[in-house]
Amino acid sequence: MAAGVLRTAPLAGELTSSLINRAAARYGLPAAGVLRLWTCRNSPARMDGGGMRADAEVVLNEAGRAVLAELCGVEPAVLARALPAFTVDDPKISKGREAGLAQGRWQAASAVAGEAAFACRSCTARRTGQALRAVRYVPRRQRVCGRHGRWLLDADADQPLEHLDLRGVPEVVAAQRRWTGVARRAVRAAADPGEVFALAHAVVARWWEEALHWHQEEIWPQRLHRVAGGNAGTDLKRWRIVGRDAVVFPEVVAVADALLDPAMAELVWRDSGAGRPRPLSADGAFCHAAGRAGGTQLAGAAVGSGLRRASTRLDGRCHPCGGAVKAGRPGGGTIRGGCGANSSPPPWPEACAS
């Protein structure tokens, strides 16, 4: 390491831009001053208030990567293993007469390597010695920091919060542990864990949209109050957006687990036409079974209810309007279908809806 170089260790999955910000802090410099080490051909996305978005990512060319390695006092091979965007090639800066200059191009993190979330500051301090904000590529199915009881929030907006406190909702932390087993089951079934989770999330998100009209629902409102610090009622609309993914996580994992059950695949096969593809019936056996799988942790009126809204087209992809099912047919082949929201779950207490 060259004299005067202060080592800045990267976090696994960290955004390159996040590491640059931490490196600047290590030297006691503003990030804008350090970014002048690279010629940037465009500008990062900005928040409404004018500051740079937390999920703004920078892609570097080969010369730019060498500059980052020197700045951090870390071998390029180490950065390549830790930073998903480090080896991403952008022809606009990697080719041509100026390719030898240290250059960078700004992009949205989602366009580079997926969903970005704030890292747990306590974990960042433990691993790097810096109790600073960091941003990592973390899929929604892995947002629980079990060590510190936190749900890591999306870094895609002008969001003052970096995490939600899960100490009052241990079932969310337990669901993260359960997801590890569900993901292994998906791999053994030759299914992509991310696709299974996305489908389950789409289904449960539909239930969440209907939840304010569920007269007997108690579990989700109580959970939301706890992650909101005790009372979400004074700002329910905002907390329903901020807290949704953490609050519904146990139900998403339960539905994902059910989707991998061979018996569920058989139900999809039958309900989707048994070889003659058709939209899944909202009152079919599969939709009722999915309702039971997610409803086991909801109030009693939700258990066994059907999935109400119209099916999506049978294209095998997950859609925000309800998702699609892609399950293995026992004996070979795949069937595809989709379903939407729960038909008659329980309304939230009036105090929550006010």
Side-chain angles (χ1 to χ4, degrees):
M1 187 183 301
V5 174
L6 301 178
R7 189 176 190 277
T8 306
L11 294 169
E14 188 172 11
L15 272 64
T16 301
S17 58
S18 173
L19 177 61
I20 291 172
N21 289 337
R22 291 197 300 106
R26 181 77 79 186
Y27 287 96
L29 298 172
V34 172
L35 285 169
R36 294 193 183 99
L37 294 171
W38 297 272
T39 299
C40 293
R41 301 302 182 182
N42 61 346
S43 299
R46 300 276 174 181
M47 298 182 295
D48 291 340
M52 187 172 71
R53 284 177 58 113
D55 65 342
E57 176 65 295
V58 64
V59 174
L60 306 175
N61 64 359
E62 186 174 355
R65 295 166 195 154
V67 169
L68 180 60
E70 183 177 358
L71 174 71
C72 296
V74 177
E75 291 295 322
V78 174
L79 296 181
R81 288 194 297 271
L83 308 180
F86 189 74
T87 56
V88 172
D89 184 60
D90 187 329
K92 293 183 178 179
I93 57 176
S94 64
K95 298 179 180 179
R97 290 179 299 175
E98 297 183 333
L101 299 177
Q103 298 182 74
R105 278 186 63 82
W106 291 98
Q107 297 186 35
S110 58
V112 178
E115 300 166 348
F118 293 108
C120 172
R121 288 204 185 205
S122 297
C123 289
T124 301
R126 184 172 61 88
R127 293 168 184 166
T128 71
Q130 291 179 290
L132 300 176
R133 188 185 86 171
V135 182
R136 299 172 56 228
Y137 290 102
V138 186
R140 196 158 277 105
R141 59 188 182 272
Q142 295 174 345
R143 292 292 178 86
V144 174
C145 172
R147 179 184 291 271
H148 300 105
R150 294 172 176 176
W151 178 271
L152 309 178
L153 289 169
D154 287 338
D156 63 351
D158 188 4
Q159 169 60 267
L161 296 175
E162 296 179 14
H163 70 265
L164 300 177
D165 190 341
L166 300 179
R167 288 176 293 182
V169 283
E171 65 270 27
V172 178
V173 178
Q176 184 71 85
R177 293 193 295 268
R178 180 181 179 185
W179 167 252
T180 301
V182 175
R184 285 197 293 264
R185 283 188 64 200
V187 172
R188 289 197 299 269
D192 181 274
E195 291 182 1
V196 173
F197 184 88
L199 169 58
H201 186 275
V203 171
V204 177
R206 275 300 192 185
W207 296 343
W208 178 260
E209 290 175 12
E210 299 291 327
L212 282 175
H213 308 291
W214 297 358
H215 300 292
Q216 300 173 21
E217 176 52 23
E218 296 178 356
I219 300 296
W220 279 351
Q222 291 172 3
R223 236 183 250 162
L224 185 61
H225 285 316
R226 292 190 185 110
V227 301
N231 184 9
T234 57
D235 195 5
L236 181 65
K237 184 176 180 179
R238 171 175 169 267
W239 279 108
R240 273 181 53 80
I241 296 171
V242 174
R244 182 195 71 175
D245 288 338
V247 170
V248 305
F249 188 63
E251 286 69 49
V252 173
V253 174
V255 171
D257 194 18
L259 292 173
L260 293 169
D261 188 334
M264 291 288 276
E266 181 64 33
L267 294 180
V268 175
W269 171 255
R270 293 176 183 174
D271 286 359
S272 62
R276 298 180 179 180
R278 68 186 181 210
L280 292 176
S281 168
D283 293 321
F286 166 73
C287 289
H288 278 280
R292 287 194 298 275
T296 52
Q297 302 200 31
L298 303 177
V303 179
S305 60
L307 300 177
R308 183 174 64 183
R309 296 196 179 178
S311 300
T312 59
R313 291 182 69 252
L314 306 182
D315 59 6
R317 292 175 294 177
C318 293
H319 294 286
C321 61
V325 178
K326 181 177 180 181
R329 168 76 170 112
T334 60
I335 51 283
R336 299 173 181 180
C339 48
N342 199 331
S343 63
S344 58
W348 294 41
E350 291 183 1
C352 294
S354 60

